Amino acid sequence: VRTGGGGGGGGDRKAIRSVAWLRDGKRVVAGGDDGLVRVWNVGYGGGGGGGSGGADITLRGHGDRVTCVTTVSFRRDEHRTGRKGSKAKKRSRDEQRSSSSAADDDDSSSGWSQLVVSGSYDHTLRAWDVTAPDGEDKCVSIMDHGDPVQAVLVLPPVPAGVRSSSLSSSSKLDNLPMLVSAGGTTLKVWNPFNGRCLGTFGTMHAKTITALCLLDVPSDDDGDDGESDTTKRKRHIITGGLDGLLRIHSADNGDIASGSLPYLHGMQV
């Protein structure tokens, strides 16, 4: 793995605020103070200095610094990205494989794809399809949090055979990867494919939330027979803020569908 260039500090370089791996394990995505999101192939690194710094892909659209980036994996036969004005929807699978130098052959053959998601001080999150051909708009959706976005995390789909909630209304969310954004003292949940807000949730923070973490594990609740019920999952979101508090919220799909993320407990740092 190369570090992407020589030492020394170029005067035109901007701070990097967040990095993430793409699922192929060969590329990384980064965002920072110049408002750009870049994708690099770490196998051959890239040049030092300014500009795109040797990046394979440079994503432009944010109006302020990028504070967080992440990736959303999904199966192409279950979700469509729905880029406006895109002709990509009707392309054959062979055309999809060859259309972009950034597309990964293993993911194409397995039916998996992914979005890059970035959050910014311009109050928005953007979802990007980095496999879109050159010349096409790679921005899939724009989500307005209403405050500078400080952090973002992914709520992955619920595995088959697992119950996310006893509420039937939550089942439509079970196969949907969702985003949770933090800005101000508010959390918002999003559909990254169409930018729809699935819920706005207040927290017990007195100052800006700066960090998010997800706990997503099998539930240790006992079933009717007294044995551990492995068909249930426990999903909690931990938030950290400038108020020195950690807050833990229940975040199963039933909570989201019912419009609340129940506060469980918290700690003072």
Side-chain angles (χ1 to χ4, degrees):
V1 176
R2 301 181 182 179
T3 58
D12 56 349
R13 294 184 182 178
K14 301 293 185 180
I16 298 296
R17 299 291 175 179
S18 184
V19 296
W21 285 100
L22 273 71
R23 62 175 284 117
D24 59 16
K26 302 173 184 177
R27 294 170 294 161
V28 295
V29 57
D33 285 1
D34 58 5
L36 302 179
V37 180
R38 295 182 174 91
V39 178
W40 284 277
N41 186 317
V42 297
Y44 58 77
S52 295
D56 292 330
I57 301 172
T58 301
L59 303 170
R60 307 173 187 273
H62 284 297
D64 206 331
R65 69 175 60 176
V66 174
T67 54
C68 48
V69 295
T70 190
T71 60
V72 180
S73 296
F74 63 96
R75 295 195 65 87
R76 286 193 301 272
D77 58 354
E78 295 180 352
H79 303 285
R80 288 187 174 184
T81 56
R83 294 188 305 276
K84 293 182 178 179
S86 172
K87 298 179 181 179
K89 291 181 182 178
K90 297 183 179 179
R91 289 183 298 153
S92 68
R93 179 165 294 183
D94 289 341
E95 289 173 325
Q96 288 178 345
R97 291 178 184 174
S98 62
S99 63
S100 172
S101 61
D104 180 75
D105 291 339
D106 292 338
D107 280 356
S108 294
S109 60
S110 68
W112 283 91
S113 189
Q114 68 183 153
L115 301 176
V116 167
V117 177
S118 54
S120 170
Y121 264 31
D122 67 3
H123 298 198
T124 70
L125 298 98
R126 287 177 176 253
W128 312 86
D129 180 3
V130 295
T131 66
D134 293 340
E136 281 195 10
D137 185 4
K138 291 179 169 60
C139 185
V140 171
S141 61
I142 302 174
M143 297 150 275
D144 186 356
H145 185 94
D147 283 293
V149 178
Q150 301 284 349
V152 63
L153 63 77
V154 178
L155 293 177
V158 175
V162 173
R163 290 178 293 163
S164 65
S165 168
S166 60
L167 296 178
S168 59
S169 59
S170 70
S171 61
K172 62 183 179 181
L173 303 178
D174 285 353
N175 73 335
L176 176 68
M178 294 176 284
L179 300 173
V180 180
S181 61
T185 60
T186 301
L187 301 179
K188 292 191 176 185
V189 179
W190 307 90
N191 179 332
F193 301 102
N194 58 22
R196 178 188 173 195
C197 183
L198 302 175
T200 300
F201 307 96
T203 66
M204 297 185 69
H205 283 281
K207 293 185 179 181
T208 297
I209 299 169
T210 56
L212 293 173
C213 183
L214 175 67
L215 171 71
D216 186 7
V217 297
S219 174
D220 54 7
D221 292 341
D222 291 339
D224 295 337
D225 57 1
E227 297 294 327
S228 179
D229 189 349
T230 59
T231 66
K232 294 182 180 179
R233 290 193 76 79
K234 178 190 296 182
R235 274 188 168 180
H236 295 165
I237 292 175
I238 304 173
T239 57
L242 294 178
D243 52 8
L245 298 176
L246 299 174
R247 300 296 193 190
I248 301 177
H249 310 264
S250 177
D252 69 32
N253 288 353
D255 298 324
I256 296 170
S258 64
S260 68
L261 295 182
Y263 169 73
L264 300 178
H265 56 88
M267 293 81 74
Q268 174 75 50
V269 176

